[in-house]
Amino acid sequence: RKEVEQDPGPFNVPEGATVAFNCTYSNSASQSFFWYRQDCRKEPKLLMSVYSSGNEDGRFTAQLNRASQYISLLIRDSKLSDSATYLCVVTFLSNSGNTPLVFGKGTRLSVIA
Amino acid sequence: DGGITQSPKYLFRKEGQNVTLSCEQNLNHDAMYWYRQDPGQGLRLIYYSQIVNDFQKGDIAEGYSVSREKKESFPLTVTSAQKNPTAFYLCASSIGSGGHNEQFFGPGTRLTVL
């Protein structure tokens, strides 16, 4: 079973706020983890990969908890331009190697002035 | 400029007609993918190709067909057998098919079947 679950939101937050999204995945043999960003009526774009030790890119921090099978994305000092849908993405291990990317349905964020 | 192009951006077809969506990339990527996205839904994999002249079914392949005769091109045909074809179709490519490779997406084609 290959499932990626996210809270759909929307998360409505004021500028400057800190917001966190969680994502759970169904298979403990999951291999790779990513956060993609999708603006309204546009294509998804890679925001960041998620590494076992956690990683940070400017205002964005991603964490992985393999024991509990979830990943998180923390956005600090939210900007209006952060408004988008954030997609949690996982690959799973299959008999033929890694599966293609499996996408969650996304969490919608609206940052309000 | 390197990238992925999809055409057209909007497409309207009558029910019962087959339609082919174009996807071209000049990134020299081996792997290419087709996804479908419905409102409020995540991306669902239709077909993918790891190399020229080879492709595999994704989770929702019924009613669709693909070909991969050239590395740069991966067209998707939506056949009349697809029961609910109206959706946003996204093509993507990656250097290899390994799960750690970033996928780059085209701008998508919005298909509406009347």
Side-chain angles (χ1 to χ4, degrees):
Chain A
R1 192 167 116 260
K2 303 176 293 182
E3 290 181 359
V4 178
E5 300 287 341
Q6 294 182 251
D7 181 341
F11 285 63
N12 299 314
V13 302
E15 269 187 296
T18 295
V19 61
F21 309 136
N22 283 340
C23 161
T24 59
Y25 56 92
S26 59
N27 189 321
S28 61
S30 299
Q31 296 297 297
S32 301
F33 309 88
F34 310 89
W35 285 101
Y36 275 70
R37 170 192 169 129
Q38 186 174 24
D39 292 299
C40 188
R41 300 180 73 82
K42 300 283 190 182
E43 72 274 21
K45 294 183 180 177
L46 179 67
L47 178 65
M48 58 197 304
S49 301
V50 186
Y51 303 121
S52 295
S53 55
N55 47 301
E56 188 174 307
D57 183 3
R59 298 182 292 108
F60 298 84
T61 301
Q63 298 271 349
L64 167 63
N65 185 320
R66 283 191 183 271
S68 300
Q69 295 181 204
Y70 77 82
I71 67 174
S72 64
L73 177 68
L74 181 78
I75 305 175
R76 289 181 298 278
D77 189 22
S78 300
K79 312 290 185 193
L80 294 175
S81 57
D82 293 334
S83 298
T85 296
Y86 290 84
L87 306 174
C88 175
V89 185
V90 177
T91 66
F92 296 88
L93 187 61
S94 69
N95 291 339
S96 56
N98 283 355
T99 65
L101 303 183
V102 178
F103 287 77
K105 293 181 180 180
T107 297
R108 193 150 60 91
L109 170 66
S110 290
V111 181
I112 305 161
Chain B
D1 279 337
I4 304 177
T5 57
Q6 290 184 244
S7 61
K9 190 171 182 180
Y10 298 95
L11 188 56
F12 297 87
R13 278 292 181 270
K14 290 184 179 178
E15 195 172 341
Q17 289 182 334
N18 290 358
V19 60
T20 297
L21 310 185
S22 164
C23 178
E24 304 278 332
Q25 54 97 2
N26 60 4
L27 299 167
N28 200 32
H29 285 174
D30 284 318
M32 296 187 75
Y33 311 82
W34 273 106
Y35 296 90
R36 164 186 178 136
Q37 188 175 34
D38 295 281
Q41 300 295 313
L43 277 68
R44 292 184 291 168
L45 182 65
I46 304 172
Y47 268 99
Y48 65 104
S49 168
Q50 295 174 309
I51 201 165
V52 175
N53 292 322
D54 183 56
F55 48 83
Q56 286 83 41
K57 292 182 179 180
D59 299 319
I60 54 165
E62 186 175 347
Y64 298 98
S65 65
V66 294
S67 63
R68 186 86 187 276
E69 297 175 3
K70 297 187 299 181
K71 188 175 186 177
E72 302 80 20
S73 178
F74 191 41
L76 173 75
T77 297
V78 185
T79 75
S80 56
Q82 169 48 235
K83 292 186 177 8
N84 186 16
T86 295
F88 186 38
Y89 290 88
L90 287 156
C91 178
S93 71
S94 61
I95 289 177
S97 56
H100 58 282
N101 292 309
E102 176 184 358
Q103 288 188 13
F104 296 82
F105 285 83
T109 293
R110 292 193 180 274
L111 173 65
T112 301
V113 175
L114 306 170

